[in-house]
Amino acid sequence: MDARRSQRRSRRNRKTRYREPRFNNRHPEKCAACGKNARHGSRYCRPCEKAKNFVGNGHREKRLVPSLEVRVNQTLSMVDKLTRWLPITAISTEHAKFDTQLMQNPDISGVEYQQGELFGYEVKEYLLEKWGRKCAYCGKEGVPLEVEHVVPRNPKRGPKGTDRISNLTLACEECNKAKGNLQPKEWLEKLKQSRRKLDQVRAENLPKILRKLKEPLRDAALMNTTRWVLYDRLKKTGLPVECGTGARTKYNRLRMGLPKTHYFDACCVGESTPENLAIEQEYVQVWTALGRGSRKMCNTDKYGFPVSHRARQKMYFGFMTGDLVVAEVPEGKYAGRWVGRVAVRTSGYFDIKGGTGHRVCQGISHRYMRLLQRADGWQYEKIRIEKGGSGASSPGVNAGASGAV
């Protein structure tokens, strides 16, 4: 997401013959009362301001950011496929709602919901009080302190941190430079191998800092944001939509003695769940969204300058990148049966990649390959339900190993 954001900003600033000027290429803000385009810098359009119609009907907040819009579209795409393939007459959805403040502080109540962690403080003032006006890593006092991301925003590897107050601490300039873009665990291992006294002090303080951090609640936040939008768009399909709570799902699952799995939870959503639900299937189908590739027509280096241009043609010898294929190689280094996603080449000798994305075998002729599934943005797997419902085992459709199928 950071890479896409930087590319968007570069497109806005550079001169491109196909892009409208920025002031003509903005998404117009909607009037909170009637839903029409609002005046610049105002919540309402001119007629509503003139009529003093200041009743907010939620029109302004209907637009989702692209990272959330794509999640809703993925669900709607799945619903569209199922309604075309199966005789579906109704939709049951779990209308999940998460209390993020209660998840972080189980003792919260009353007015504390309106008084957040930063109530009465500015960010830097709060950090100074929280960390005792000293460096959290080495304990120095009376030196200039800098705001430090414990989990870095732009790490060399691993998960990215956020700007939430729980991910911020204070550090002196020396400690801030020494940590850099390393993950906390990586820096801790590096400190333990050092023999400097300062590094030993940092190694003792770093676990204490990590215990004060709170886990990010991204999944809960996106569910709270998209649940009503998804419900409204499901109603537009024309099918009756039933909303069920998480508590109702758990009650139905425990009543029928089913184990805690995603596929059994899906069978227990809503009040329409029958009293005696019989599940006799041995397999479940797992759908994974893979995307449809990149729209880039030019490959760039790390500075954004063009390096090479991509070919306009996508299909070669009846295959295109992302197709699920099976290859029967009679001889050579890769002799055997291979199943995986193919990466095409103009020469006709393709690569087959496994489920984890690493290259399994290279230079396999297209004559040995047979198409299993066309790349449509999804991956479909058939997974066996184990006895007792403790988990599921896959037959290895995309394992990419010899004899996988």
Side-chain angles (χ1 to χ4, degrees):
M1 292 179 65
D2 289 338
R4 281 184 281 174
R5 180 168 60 248
S6 64
Q7 289 179 358
R8 288 197 304 269
R9 290 177 177 176
S10 67
R11 288 199 298 268
R12 291 168 185 163
N13 294 326
R14 69 173 180 259
K15 295 181 180 179
T16 49
R17 63 182 181 277
Y18 57 85
R19 191 175 182 88
E20 294 290 336
R22 185 176 181 183
F23 51 83
N24 288 337
N25 198 30
R26 292 178 176 176
H27 181 83
E29 293 287 354
K30 299 300 180 181
C31 175
C34 65
K36 297 180 180 180
N37 292 344
R39 294 180 58 190
H40 181 66
S42 174
R43 286 181 56 84
Y44 305 96
C45 60
R46 291 179 183 272
C48 289
E49 280 192 350
K50 187 176 181 180
K52 296 183 179 181
N53 180 21
F54 300 140
V55 179
N57 293 322
H59 293 285
R60 193 180 179 92
E61 289 76 20
K62 282 188 176 181
R63 179 177 178 267
L64 291 177
V65 296
S67 58
L68 298 181
E69 183 73 28
V70 68
R71 293 175 180 267
V72 176
N73 290 339
Q74 283 179 355
T75 305
L76 295 176
S77 173
M78 180 189 64
V79 171
D80 180 63
K81 289 178 181 293
L82 291 176
T83 52
R84 283 190 283 113
W85 295 345
L86 302 173
I88 295 177
T89 58
I91 299 175
S92 296
T93 176
E94 186 174 291
H95 202 64
K97 179 181 179 181
F98 297 93
D99 191 340
T100 54
Q101 297 194 55
L102 186 64
M103 293 169 67
Q104 291 186 335
N105 181 15
D107 300 327
I108 192 172
S109 63
V111 73
E112 294 180 1
Y113 275 99
Q114 286 76 39
Q115 299 176 356
E117 191 174 3
L118 288 175
F119 178 71
Y121 289 96
E122 294 182 357
V123 174
K124 292 185 178 179
E125 182 185 5
Y126 174 80
L127 292 175
L128 288 171
E129 292 291 336
K130 181 178 180 179
W131 301 101
R133 300 180 179 273
K134 58 184 179 182
C135 177
Y137 296 123
C138 65
K140 288 183 181 179
E141 299 184 29
V143 295
L145 299 175
E146 301 174 353
V147 177
E148 151 73 4
H149 292 78
V150 182
V151 180
R153 286 277 295 143
N154 298 309
K156 296 181 179 179
R157 62 185 68 87
K160 296 183 180 180
T162 63
D163 290 325
R164 296 177 70 238
I165 193 66
S166 58
N167 191 42
L168 301 180
T169 185
L170 292 177
C172 62
E173 184 178 3
E174 183 180 359
C175 291
N176 200 357
K177 289 184 178 180
K179 181 176 178 295
N181 289 334
L182 294 176
Q183 294 286 352
K185 293 183 179 179
E186 294 177 349
W187 196 41
L188 183 60
E189 293 178 359
K190 184 178 179 181
L191 294 175
K192 289 180 179 179
Q193 297 175 359
S194 176
R195 297 182 179 179
R196 298 177 57 194
K197 291 184 178 179
L198 180 59
D199 289 342
Q200 297 300 323
V201 174
R202 292 169 177 168
E204 293 178 0
N205 291 334
L206 187 54
K208 300 177 184 178
I209 298 173
L210 296 177
R211 284 194 292 268
K212 290 186 178 182
L213 297 183
K214 298 176 182 177
E215 295 183 0
L217 303 175
R218 290 181 177 177
D219 294 335
L222 71 90
M223 287 296 296
N224 288 341
T225 307
T226 59
R227 58 195 178 101
W228 283 113
V229 177
L230 180 60
Y231 174 72
D232 292 336
R233 296 189 185 179
L234 286 176
K235 290 195 300 184
K236 294 180 180 179
T237 59
L239 296 173
V241 181
E242 174 195 24
C243 281
T245 62
R248 167 70 67 172
T249 303
K250 183 177 180 180
Y251 169 76
N252 292 336
R253 177 169 50 81
L254 294 178
R255 176 171 53 84
M256 290 180 285
L258 297 175
K260 172 61 177 173
T261 57
H262 287 297
Y263 40 88
F264 284 136
D265 278 349
C267 298
C268 302
V269 173
E271 297 182 3
S272 61
T273 304
E275 293 293 333
N276 299 319
L277 181 64
I279 301 176
E280 300 178 354
Q281 280 71 18
E282 297 182 359
Y283 294 91
V284 294
Q285 195 176 55
V286 178
W287 293 16
T288 306
L290 298 179
R292 297 177 180 269
S294 174
R295 293 186 178 183
K296 293 194 302 183
M297 298 302 297
C298 177
N299 297 321
T300 60
D301 59 11
K302 63 179 181 179
Y303 301 106
F305 291 99
V307 176
S308 61
H309 291 272
R310 308 177 68 143
R312 292 180 179 271
Q313 184 178 351
K314 283 189 174 183
M315 186 170 292
Y316 296 91
F317 303 96
F319 300 95
M320 62 181 180
T321 298
D323 288 347
L324 184 66
V325 300
V326 55
E328 299 279 358
V329 184
E331 58 183 1
K333 179 180 178 180
Y334 299 110
R337 184 182 177 89
W338 297 85
V339 180
R341 299 282 169 178
V342 66
V344 300
R345 295 177 179 173
T346 57
S347 62
Y349 291 88
F350 303 155
D351 298 344
I352 296 180
K353 300 181 180 180
T356 57
H358 61 278
R359 184 176 287 111
V360 177
C361 54
Q362 309 177 42
I364 305 299
S365 175
H366 68 91
R367 294 172 298 183
Y368 303 138
M369 296 184 184
R370 179 168 53 87
L371 182 67
L372 293 181
Q373 176 200 322
R374 184 66 70 187
D376 64 345
W378 294 87
Q379 173 179 300
Y380 310 96
E381 286 187 278
K382 196 175 182 181
I383 295 181
R384 183 188 298 274
I385 302 176
E386 293 183 355
K387 294 182 179 180
S390 58
S393 59
S394 172
V397 172
N398 64 335
S402 179
V405 178

